[in-house]
Each structure stands twice: as C-alpha cells, then as structure tokens.
Amino acid sequence: MIRVALVDDQALFRAGIRMLVDSQPDLEVVAEASDGREALDIVRSTSPDVVLMDIRMPVMDGLAATAELLADPHPPRIVMLTTFDLDEAAARAIRQGASGFLLKDADPEFLLAAIRTVHGGSAVIAASATRELFAHVGGAATRPVPDEFAQLTEREREIFALAARGLSNAEIAAREFLSEATVKTHISRILTKLGLRDRVQLVVFAFDHGLA
C-alpha cells in the first residue's frame, strides 16, 4: 500500500483528491494538512511515502515546507502541485529535491500514475516538462561540472544527454538500438555515479552544470 499525504489549503480540492486516491486498491491517504506548518507535523508523525504539496499556502508555503522535510533523515517523495505549467516556484522546489510537479487540473489517471511512479523510485514525473520549465524560467549561473561526471563512460554520457532532454527509457532505447532493460541499467548507474535520486534530478543536474 502506498501511503499518501495531501497538503493544500483548499478543503474541497483535498476532498476530491482523497476520494480519487482512496478509490485505488494500492493507494491510501493517511494524512491531510491545510498549510506548510501543519504539513511538517503530520508528515513527520505519519511517515507517508508520497506527499502532494501545494506551492502557495498561508502560514508556510509549500516551498518552505518542502525544504524542511527534505532535510529530514528519511524524507518522503514530494510532488509539487501548481496551477501554472511554467512555474518558477516549481523549478525552485525541484532544485531543492522535490520529485517533480503536477498541474492541479491534471487528468486523474495521470495523477495516480505519478504517485505510483514517484513511489517506485524512478520518478519520471514529466522530465520533458521539467526541462521545458527550466528552459523557460532560466536558472542559477552555470556551475563547474563536478569530478563525478568524468566517471561516466562514453555510452553513459550519451544516455545522460538524451535523458537530460526528457526522453523516456523507451525513446532512448529506440534511438540507441538498445533494450529498455539495458537503458534502465545505464540510467541507474548514471544516477549512482552522480549521486542523484531520480530522472528529474538528472535534468536539474544537467541544467545547473551547462550540460543540457
């Protein structure tokens, strides 16, 4: 069972998401909060697997709450909820370590799939949308490429570049004439070598170091 927490200041929105999530045999809502400060308490006391976090809330916004939660020893996966597809606040949250963002009017099936994907650890929450977001809002000044990047093999660098462009495993496999299983293995090795958690963080790494 995947345990989900909802953090949004609109009670009606939370009620709708709760009904959707609880209708699934493998998902359950274990906690709700109406602002970021309340979210810190309920997330730490209930230990959900995935948190759906609204960005704009009173008392403490989603950005501040996300930053605090991600500093905990064993943080949950956090997906930001936003009403804007090119949202600079969402970009900041992803740089902090959030696993991606969802539009609040996303299709129900997409939201459910997103929860499962994030929980699965590979977190391909709209990597292509994440890339578009970073390209649109711009980012911090390009930082020097870390030494760890030199550990990647030539093939891994090729796959890194394609993943940074937002291509899925299937798209990379077709382009490189590889099996999806092989691509998945390469991606896993790339993430390990670079100390990254998921595909979204790979996109962030690429943008931050001028590799996108």
Side-chain angles (χ1 to χ4, degrees):
M1 188 68 73
I2 302 174
R3 295 159 48 82
V4 180
L6 308 176
V7 184
D8 193 285
D9 60 333
Q10 297 178 343
L12 189 60
F13 179 80
R14 292 201 312 273
I17 298 300
R18 174 184 278 275
M19 287 179 61
L20 174 65
V21 171
D22 284 345
S23 72
Q24 303 299 299
D26 60 331
L27 306 176
E28 67 172 336
V29 174
V30 297
E32 292 185 31
S34 59
D35 62 66
R37 178 62 61 192
E38 187 180 344
L40 298 181
D41 294 333
I42 66 108
V43 168
R44 287 165 174 163
S45 62
T46 61
S47 300
D49 301 305
V50 178
V51 178
L52 300 180
M53 178 82 74
D54 189 18
I55 290 180
R56 293 165 180 81
M57 296 179 291
V59 184
M60 174 186 281
D61 66 23
L63 290 174
T66 295
E68 288 207 28
L69 289 173
L70 290 174
D72 287 350
H74 302 287
R77 298 279 178 167
I78 301 177
V79 178
M80 310 307 295
L81 299 173
T82 176
T83 54
F84 309 106
D85 57 353
L86 296 174
D87 190 335
E88 187 170 356
R92 292 206 306 275
I94 292 168
R95 273 207 171 88
Q96 289 174 353
S99 292
F101 70 97
L102 288 173
L103 293 179
K104 296 181 80 169
D105 62 356
D107 290 338
E109 290 304 316
F110 184 80
L111 185 145
L112 294 172
I115 293 172
R116 295 184 178 106
T117 301
V118 166
H119 179 258
S122 55
V124 192
I125 295 291
S128 57
T130 302
R131 187 180 190 282
E132 182 181 355
L133 170 67
F134 276 77
H136 178 79
V137 304
T142 301
R143 301 200 297 261
V145 178
D147 294 340
E148 290 80 5
F149 191 74
Q151 298 176 16
L152 301 187
T153 65
E154 183 176 352
R155 170 61 95 180
E156 287 169 350
R157 291 191 188 199
E158 292 173 357
I159 291 176
F160 170 93
L162 295 173
R165 289 168 50 190
L167 273 66
S168 67
N169 285 358
E171 290 168 332
I172 294 173
R175 188 179 180 116
E176 296 294 302
F177 304 102
L178 300 169
S179 70
E180 284 192 53
T182 298
V183 173
K184 186 176 181 180
T185 298
H186 279 305
I187 292 290
S188 178
R189 288 174 179 165
I190 291 168
L191 295 178
T192 298
K193 288 181 179 181
L194 298 180
L196 304 174
R197 190 176 57 188
D198 53 46
R199 292 281 290 270
V200 170
Q201 294 301 306
L202 185 152
V203 174
V204 175
F205 180 97
F207 268 87
D208 283 350
H209 298 96
L211 300 169

